Amino acid sequence: MLIVGLGNPGDRYRHTRHNVGFMALDAIADHLNISVNSIRFKGLYGEGRIQGKKVRLLKPSTYMNESGQSVRECMHYFKIPPEEVLVLVDDIDIEFGTIRIRKSGSAGTHNGLKSIIYQIRSDQFPRLKIAVGKKNPHMDLADFVLSGFSKDEIPVMEETVEKAKRAAIAWTIDGVDSAMNMWNGK
């Protein structure tokens, strides 16, 4: 099983809305005591076990729009099928403070998901969407997702990242259907 957190590398992007995938992956790594610091597959990689199951964690270093290169290389190397890859990704369309797991689907407007779908030639991988708020209609989408969280939003995001961590671990242990039933809309 492979869990991929999407984001952009570097301090400039560390606390932006687009990097909640990295934030959730870091929370999972901390919880499972897995170091995600090996430079492999055009990203940062680590592996460990959860209840006897091998878990691989990946943070692509290719920037969001090219995330699929890193994911494809890792999947190919370990021969991981798409349904055993969970992608942690920011989402602007669901209610702030919630998460949603989907078994598969289109990329919508998300360039990281578009890149993965293009590179692995499949949209049949689960994704855990982490709500980052709705943009102001007059604001450019790129500017919004590359912006930070307000002082009032930070505690909500910390709770949301915690939910994402717990949902990803549930996916690893119990599978996608169970994780969806337990966590969607929370």
Side-chain angles (χ1 to χ4, degrees):
M1 302 195 126
L2 173 64
I3 302 175
V4 179
L6 295 188
N8 286 311
D11 287 339
R12 175 180 173 198
Y13 301 106
R14 183 174 310 258
H15 300 290
T16 64
R17 295 171 195 276
H18 227 14
N19 272 36
V20 296
F22 276 7
M23 293 174 203
L25 192 91
D26 289 342
I28 293 162
D30 288 346
H31 181 79
L32 299 177
N33 200 26
I34 297 174
S35 294
V36 182
N37 57 11
S38 293
I39 299 172
R40 292 182 75 185
F41 314 115
K42 295 182 182 170
L44 295 176
Y45 173 82
E47 59 185 50
R49 293 198 171 275
I50 181 166
Q51 293 191 0
K53 293 181 180 179
K54 179 95 147 202
V55 178
R56 294 175 169 91
L57 304 179
L58 180 64
K59 290 169 65 174
S61 299
T62 53
Y63 288 93
M64 184 67 77
N65 295 357
E66 301 295 337
S67 299
Q69 294 175 17
S70 176
V71 174
R72 178 184 42 78
E73 285 187 20
C74 187
M75 287 175 67
H76 179 75
Y77 184 83
F78 293 112
K79 296 177 177 43
I80 302 169
E83 61 273 7
E84 290 184 18
V85 178
L86 178 66
V87 177
L88 311 175
V89 60
D90 58 291
D91 191 284
I92 61 166
D93 295 320
I94 59 177
E95 184 182 340
F96 185 66
T98 64
I99 62 171
R100 182 169 295 142
I101 302 170
R102 291 282 184 247
K103 281 185 182 181
S104 62
S106 76
T109 60
H110 201 284
N111 289 330
L113 290 176
K114 285 178 185 175
S115 174
I116 293 170
I117 291 168
Y118 174 77
Q119 289 287 333
I120 71 169
R121 308 228 184 299
S122 175
D123 63 1
Q124 298 300 301
F125 58 90
R127 65 279 321 254
L128 194 161
K129 299 177 174 194
I130 304 165
V132 295
K134 302 231 186 277
K135 77 172 187 70
N136 178 314
H138 304 1
M139 189 176 200
D140 179 69
L141 179 59
D143 291 340
F144 177 72
V145 296
L146 294 176
S147 70
F149 294 100
S150 72
K151 185 177 169 185
D152 293 337
E153 290 174 321
I154 290 172
V156 176
M157 269 324 300
E158 288 171 350
E159 289 175 23
T160 309
V161 166
E162 174 67 18
K163 285 187 261 189
K165 174 195 85 176
R166 292 173 61 199
I169 290 169
W171 170 81
T172 304
I173 296 168
D174 300 317
V176 70
D177 290 324
S178 178
M180 287 170 65
N181 289 335
M182 192 180 324
W183 288 100
N184 277 356
K186 295 201 175 188

